[in-house]
Amino acid sequence: MVRVEMNKQPTPPKAITTPASPPQTRPKLGGFSALIVLSLLVNTLFLTGPIFMMQVYDRVLASGSVPTLIGLFAITVILYLGFGVFDMLRQNISILRGEELAAQFEADAFKASIKATSEGANDARLLAPEDVESVRSYLTSPSVLALFDMPALPFFFLGIFLLHPVLGAVAITAGIILGILAVINERITRAQMSAAQPDLTASTRILVNSRREADSLVGNNMLGAASNYWTGMLSHARQKLTRGQRTTASFASITKTLRLAIQSLVLGVGAWLAIQGHMTAGAMIAASIVFSRAIAPLEQVLASWRNLLRARSAWQRLSENIPPAAAQDSNFSLPAPKSTIDAVRLAVAAPGTDRTLVQDVTFSLSPGNVLAIAGASGVGKSCLARALSGAWPTASGSLKLDKADLSLWPADSLGQHIGYLGQTVDFVDARVRDIIARLDPNAKDQSILQAAKQAGVHEFILTLPEGYDTFIGIGGIQLSGGQRQRIGLARALYGDPFFVILDEPTAHLDGAGEQALFAAIQKRKDAGKITAMTVHDERNLGIATHMMVLENGRMVISGPRDAVMKKIRAERGQKQVSA
């Protein structure tokens, strides 16, 4: 026996119940002041070893004083403890800061990626979540600390110069050569990786679309061809990336070889100077160690150059494609709409292009109105429906809720007042209750039940293995097109929104489903709500109060349903007489 305990409210999965709090301002790639200070301390304390060695060679061995050796060793141990503590602190701060920065971006990156997919765009927004992960991965890796060690490099060279000017000149010359190699590597590798980015974005889009069309690909025996198409696109990107990797690897090997050779050179020159009596043996060894430390960060940066470039490119794309949250949504709260929906010379273009798909759409709807958008296939009905719901931006004209342009409504607030049912209904991996509630963690059972009953899907949900707690999204149970559409309708009706847009809502419904649909629309009419729906079949016009006809992407007639139908019949009669 199936039991449905709607009041129990079991704990949903964390991914569903933990709402992401979008940042109010776009975070900057900064806030690393503590890392700069700690890196300065760590690099200063690194000199403990070379200084201790100098004192042992030049003072302790010469004097044979054991107390001096013990005193120096005690001081060295204390300084090394400080070195270890500061180094551990900066590594932990780097990890925490990287995670914090990623957390600030994750929600907006997800929204941008989904928005780009919804708009059919093929731009960098598709990769926004991956870009966040690239930045996070680099900032939490040990490689990033090498960047904070780089500013200490001139001071190490200065220390070598103070030990002896000749050694300083050798070290500085070596540093300049290695720096030039780093600049050349950066310019070559950056160009190669940038060239691969368009192909990477395109391959990601192909993969996303292929997953969405999995049944069609398999059913039409297109899986092999689709796989070849995707791998071909990915192959182009990887060829360019491989060239960049090979370049980086080559420069890293050259740098490592030069570093080892120059370190030996410094030791050899120091030995010659010691033989000549211009410096001590301790200073000679200390200079070799300090030079090795000075060059180490540069070598580490080159070794992780690909990751650095990837993180930098990812950060640039995030900064360019994800505006500050304050720019995305207004914090001003508008009153709930309750009077009109107005469109004036509305035009809709395919997102990311200048191609206008719908134009010259003008209408005004009042409480209780139901607008039927009619026309042949391909005239732009679905495009207009997406624009009315806010899924697609408008190219020109205005669309207003209670005299306030749609763009003035914060996205989260707008979702409370608009419901949308598209022709294709897909669900995230979630329970029925969460899908109907639009993943609202604070949804009330009564509101979920009301939407399900209004859509006529309550009884069906009770037959599922876990009732309203059944997972039906990706990896969940298989539903028919009509069942998915009715659950999608319940989602659109959830919260009793003021304006609901239904795109071909009867496409997959049987007789009972159609009855539930029209009963729900009638209930909305009686409650003073506004509904718009695209239609193919004139039999679905009975529920409408207003009607609009599109031809070739342009509105040719609009007004009260009876007046529009009368005009259409009159035109048909004239054509028949003429024929």
Side-chain angles (χ1 to χ4, degrees):
M1 180 177 179
V2 179
R3 293 188 306 161
V4 180
E5 299 179 4
M6 289 297 290
N7 293 322
K8 183 178 178 181
Q9 294 201 38
T11 303
K14 183 177 181 181
I16 295 174
T17 58
T18 305
S21 299
Q24 294 305 310
T25 57
R26 169 61 57 233
K28 296 181 179 180
L29 192 55
F32 289 95
S33 302
L35 280 179
I36 296 175
V37 174
L38 288 171
S39 295
L40 177 62
L41 292 172
V42 166
N43 283 282
T44 301
L45 290 173
F46 178 82
L47 296 175
T48 299
I51 292 174
F52 175 71
M53 189 171 293
M54 286 178 59
Q55 297 303 313
V56 169
Y57 271 87
D58 300 339
R59 181 172 296 181
V60 175
L61 294 181
S63 65
S65 173
V66 175
T68 301
L69 176 62
I70 294 174
L72 288 172
F73 182 74
I75 294 173
T76 300
V77 169
I78 293 173
L79 292 177
Y80 271 138
L81 286 175
F83 174 88
V85 171
F86 292 142
D87 191 50
M88 181 178 64
L89 282 175
R90 73 170 186 159
Q91 289 189 49
N92 281 277
I93 290 175
S94 174
I95 292 172
L96 291 174
R97 182 57 182 146
E99 296 290 351
E100 178 187 60
L101 194 67
Q104 289 176 311
F105 260 110
E106 283 171 344
D108 290 338
F110 178 85
K111 294 176 184 176
S113 180
I114 298 302
K115 188 75 172 176
T117 303
S118 171
E119 295 174 354
N122 191 25
D123 54 40
R125 291 177 297 163
L126 287 172
L127 297 177
E130 288 83 353
D131 285 340
V132 172
E133 178 57 25
S134 294
V135 174
R136 186 206 66 79
S137 178
Y138 185 75
L139 292 180
T140 58
S141 70
S143 302
V144 73
L145 297 179
L147 294 177
F148 290 93
D149 289 333
M150 291 288 287
L153 191 148
F155 297 99
F156 285 131
F157 284 158
L158 177 61
I160 297 173
F161 191 86
L162 292 176
L163 289 174
H164 198 282
V166 174
L167 286 180
V170 172
I172 292 173
T173 301
I176 292 174
I177 293 174
L178 294 175
I180 292 173
L181 288 176
V183 171
I184 296 174
N185 176 47
E186 191 275 338
R187 293 194 175 183
I188 296 176
T189 310
R190 180 178 59 180
Q192 291 170 335
M193 295 189 69
S194 297
Q197 192 57 45
D199 288 338
L200 282 175
T201 303
S203 66
T204 299
R205 177 154 185 79
I206 292 170
L207 180 59
V208 170
N209 289 339
S210 297
R211 286 171 175 168
R212 184 184 300 171
E213 300 296 326
D215 290 343
S216 297
L217 293 179
V218 174
N220 289 296
N221 294 315
M222 295 171 56
L223 197 55
S227 174
N228 293 335
Y229 185 61
W230 176 68
T231 54
M233 183 67 70
L234 193 60
S235 176
H236 287 295
R238 284 183 173 169
Q239 287 175 6
K240 297 170 185 176
L241 288 175
T242 300
R243 286 197 291 269
Q245 289 175 303
R246 292 173 62 183
T247 301
T248 299
S250 298
F251 274 96
S253 296
I254 293 172
T255 302
K256 184 177 181 179
T257 303
L258 283 176
R259 192 260 300 171
L260 292 173
I262 295 171
Q263 187 174 352
S264 297
L265 176 64
V266 169
L267 189 61
V269 172
W272 179 78
L273 291 172
I275 293 173
Q276 299 298 318
H278 296 302
M279 66 185 307
T280 64
M284 171 192 72
I285 297 176
S288 177
I289 295 174
V290 171
F291 175 78
S292 177
R293 172 59 180 177
I295 298 301
L298 181 60
E299 187 176 348
Q300 292 177 28
V301 170
L302 284 176
S304 60
W305 196 256
R306 180 192 174 198
N307 293 334
L308 172 59
L309 284 182
R310 179 185 295 171
R312 188 180 70 173
S313 298
W315 176 259
Q316 290 175 342
R317 288 192 297 270
L318 290 172
S319 300
E320 293 170 0
N321 293 288
I322 302 182
Q328 295 179 42
D329 294 330
S330 169
N331 291 323
F332 188 78
S333 179
L334 294 171
K338 57 183 179 181
S339 60
T340 59
I341 304 288
D342 296 298
V344 178
R345 299 190 64 82
L346 193 67
V348 182
T353 71
D354 296 328
R355 181 189 174 196
T356 302
L357 302 175
V358 180
Q359 56 186 322
D360 292 335
V361 173
T362 299
F363 62 83
S364 181
L365 301 175
S366 302
N369 287 168
V370 177
L371 173 65
I373 304 172
S377 297
V379 298
K381 300 191 299 298
S382 293
C383 299
L384 178 58
R386 294 188 185 102
L388 294 179
S389 70
W392 277 18
T394 56
S396 62
S398 65
L399 177 62
K400 298 182 179 181
L401 283 176
D402 280 12
K403 309 304 179 184
D405 195 272
L406 215 63
S407 61
L408 299 178
W409 293 82
D412 292 339
S413 174
L414 190 63
Q416 301 172 17
H417 311 305
I418 290 182
Y420 172 68
L421 174 65
Q423 286 191 42
T424 302
V425 183
D426 291 312
F427 304 126
V428 297
D429 190 9
R431 302 174 303 176
V432 177
R433 60 184 297 142
D434 297 310
I435 290 172
I436 293 176
R438 306 183 187 183
L439 304 183
D440 179 6
N442 301 314
K444 303 298 182 183
D445 291 345
Q446 191 58 39
S447 298
I448 298 172
L449 283 169
Q450 180 180 348
K453 290 179 178 179
Q454 198 170 354
V457 75
H458 171 67
E459 288 76 11
F460 164 71
I461 294 175
L462 295 182
T463 66
L464 297 176
E466 299 296 330
Y468 279 83
D469 289 322
T470 303
F471 280 79
I472 62 170
I474 300 173
I477 65 173
Q478 295 295 318
L479 303 178
S480 69
Q483 291 164 344
R484 300 179 76 86
Q485 193 160 29
R486 290 169 75 172
I487 292 177
L489 175 61
R491 178 174 59 185
L493 297 175
Y494 172 76
D496 197 21
F498 176 65
F499 186 35
V500 168
I501 303 97
L502 309 173
D503 191 4
E504 293 293 342
T506 62
H508 302 289
L509 297 182
D510 55 17
E514 290 187 2
Q515 289 181 7
L517 169 68
F518 293 128
I521 296 176
Q522 184 60 52
K523 185 175 181 180
R524 289 181 51 79
K525 288 175 64 175
D526 298 338
K529 308 291 184 178
I530 299 177
T531 306
M533 63 178 183
T534 65
V535 297
H536 264 121
D537 195 334
E538 289 188 5
R539 293 177 302 173
N540 297 331
L541 296 175
I543 195 72
T545 61
H546 290 68
M547 183 176 173
M548 173 196 305
V549 179
L550 297 179
E551 288 184 6
N552 299 321
R554 187 183 298 273
M555 188 187 79
V556 294
I557 186 172
S558 178
R561 181 202 61 190
D562 293 341
V564 172
M565 289 299 299
K566 183 178 180 180
K567 186 173 182 179
I568 292 175
R569 292 190 184 104
E571 290 179 352
R572 287 177 181 172
Q574 291 177 359
K575 290 181 180 179
Q576 291 176 355
V577 171
S578 300

